[in-house]
């Protein structure tokens, strides 16, 4: 599902991409790449606060997941930077 989301995202089919990313996360909530890609899509479609919540809520709920601090650190720098294109 993540790969289908990537394909749709790169083709500009953001609604379908978002659905695939969300479905992927329903099956595996620890899928870091799907979460990052969904958050990037949200930023590109003008939903930066929602992207922040997606990442923040997940990292708070995953204190023992090695990906959580790295993802949180990457997002705090990327979202606040002037580079908003954020392609997956």
């Amino acid at each position: 599902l993540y790969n289908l989301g990537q394909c749709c995202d790169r083709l500009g089919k953001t609604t379908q991409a978002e659905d695939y990313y969300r479905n992927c996360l329903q099956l595996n909530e620890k899928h870091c790449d799907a979460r990052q890609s969904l958050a990037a899509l949200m930023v590109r479609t003008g939903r930066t606060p929602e992207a922040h919540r997606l990442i923040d809520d997940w990292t708070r709920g995953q204190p023992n997941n090695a990906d959580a601090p790295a993802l949180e650190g990457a997002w705090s720098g990327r979202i606040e930077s002037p580079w908003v294109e954020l392609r997956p």
Side-chain angles (χ1 to χ4, degrees):
L1 292 172
Y2 167 72
N3 289 335
L4 290 170
Q6 285 283 282
C7 290
C8 289
D9 205 352
R10 291 171 193 262
L11 291 171
K13 299 178 180 184
T14 57
T15 302
Q16 290 172 316
E18 183 169 344
D19 289 343
Y20 281 123
Y21 293 145
R22 288 186 185 279
N23 289 335
C24 180
L25 290 169
Q26 284 180 345
L27 293 175
N28 179 4
E29 66 182 23
K30 295 181 181 179
H31 198 294
C32 188
D33 290 335
R35 190 166 304 277
Q36 186 275 336
S37 294
L38 176 57
L41 185 148
M42 290 174 174
V43 170
R44 288 193 323 271
T45 56
R47 297 178 287 158
T48 300
E50 189 177 349
H52 271 293
R53 280 191 303 278
L54 179 74
I55 299 301
D56 290 346
D57 291 349
W58 183 74
T59 55
R60 280 191 208 113
Q62 302 290 323
N64 298 322
N65 187 321
D67 289 332
L71 183 61
E72 182 179 38
W75 271 94
S76 65
R78 289 174 102 181
I79 290 177
E80 293 167 8
S81 77
W83 181 59
V84 183
E85 185 60 22
L86 294 177
R87 294 300 284 168

